[in-house]
Amino acid sequence: MTEAPEPGVPNGRAPARNRPGTPCRVSLMVHGMAATQAFYGDLFGWEFQPGPSRSVPCARALLNGHEVGGIGQLPPGRRLPVAWTPYLASDDVDLTAETVRLCGGTIGVGPLDAGGIGRLTIGSDPWGSVFGLLRALPHPGTEIAGLPGTPVWHELLTYESAGAATFYTRLFGYERKPDGSADVDRVTLHLDGRPVAGVHGVGRSLPPDRGPHWMTYFEVPDTDEATARLAVLGGRVLTPARDTTQGHVATVTDPEGARFALIRSAR
């Protein structure tokens, strides 16, 4: 089992969410919409409103009236891995999607206009990690960060950091800063001098059923209490809560197997 990386959660305010290359949204496609909403509602205190799509059942996840993510229904019979997908902001989704292809990645969905959200596409890097690109529509209720129940960090788990970091840097011009430890293959991607995401190379210790993937970290008031609550709600604890330089972190899954991390950030 892969140990969760010690995240490089930024201290202080991150670049604006509409700055190209900044994570600006997370979404989850699931088989059971009602059960998933009940799980995350109980875990994070989220409320839900019907999403803008008329073709696919979906919902906006809200915290104190602010949007923190989206949940959609997988088509019946599609046994795809359930996973949280981060979206990176782009000023020109079509151009960035073409750059993804030119750099060896693939585009699986779009680019398309998603009503009420913006123009988006979903693709993967050359090693199979799925991510989205989004030029979001401005509307109230989306700017919330750092509070319990919100995504506060994104870390890419992949075979080795150099190639993956180069791919994403070609898309958005990140500044890459190594972890600084000789025995750890990790870099942090920066924009405007501030960290926005991490890339952690873990070699062949990636989960065989998952492969390279992005991990989303959600803030909680108390990691131990949150993991205990998650287990009662039907989730699974992969890596028990432990102290890191960035906070108290646990790696978990929801009842359908979507991996994510719970963190009480160091203050």
Side-chain angles (χ1 to χ4, degrees):
M1 181 182 298
T2 303
E3 287 281 331
E6 184 173 313
V9 178
N11 294 317
R13 189 170 59 85
R17 294 177 64 200
N18 61 354
R19 167 74 157 87
T22 303
C24 60
R25 178 180 171 84
V26 291
S27 70
L28 178 67
M29 298 296 291
V30 300
H31 301 287
M33 283 280 290
T36 297
Q37 290 181 48
F39 172 82
Y40 286 103
D42 284 342
L43 183 63
F44 292 139
W46 291 352
E47 297 178 339
F48 296 89
Q49 289 183 350
S53 175
R54 297 181 180 179
S55 59
V56 178
C58 59
R60 287 193 174 104
L62 306 176
L63 181 67
N64 299 331
H66 297 270
E67 185 172 347
V68 293
I71 295 177
Q73 175 79 55
L74 283 167
R78 295 290 297 275
R79 307 311 300 178
L80 298 173
V82 177
W84 280 100
T85 299
Y87 288 76
L88 306 176
S90 171
D91 283 340
D92 189 330
V93 168
D94 296 72
L95 179 60
T96 308
E98 185 59 29
T99 306
V100 168
R101 294 189 183 97
L102 291 174
C103 292
T106 60
I107 297 297
V109 176
L112 54 83
D113 292 318
I117 298 175
R119 189 156 182 82
L120 63 79
T121 188
I122 299 174
S124 60
D125 65 27
W127 301 271
S129 301
V130 176
F131 65 98
L133 302 169
L134 174 64
R135 188 172 191 270
L137 293 175
H139 63 83
T142 60
E143 290 297 329
I144 183 172
L147 299 179
T150 64
V152 293
W153 187 244
H154 303 274
E155 187 102 338
L156 174 62
L157 296 178
T158 189
Y159 296 115
E160 53 85 26
S161 68
T166 297
F167 170 82
Y168 289 96
T169 298
R170 286 175 177 169
L171 299 183
F172 296 111
Y174 296 117
E175 179 186 1
R176 293 176 283 181
K177 294 188 178 181
D179 174 88
S181 304
D183 58 342
V184 177
D185 179 18
R186 183 189 291 114
V187 298
T188 304
L189 305 178
H190 288 67
L191 288 172
D192 303 330
R194 299 180 183 273
V196 294
V199 180
H200 187 196
V202 296
R204 295 294 171 179
S205 62
L206 283 163
D209 63 334
R210 190 65 53 170
H213 61 281
W214 282 93
M215 178 85 74
T216 297
Y217 289 74
F218 291 94
E219 185 75 24
V220 292
D222 185 300
T223 310
D224 296 294
E225 290 183 3
T227 53
R229 179 65 178 162
L230 173 135
V232 170
L233 294 172
R236 182 177 166 215
V237 179
L238 300 179
T239 305
R242 71 208 187 283
D243 288 320
T244 74
T245 57
Q246 302 298 336
H248 204 49
V249 184
T251 311
V252 299
T253 77
D254 67 17
E256 289 202 17
R259 294 171 181 252
F260 59 100
L262 301 171
I263 181 170
R264 184 183 187 280
S265 301
R267 304 301 181 187

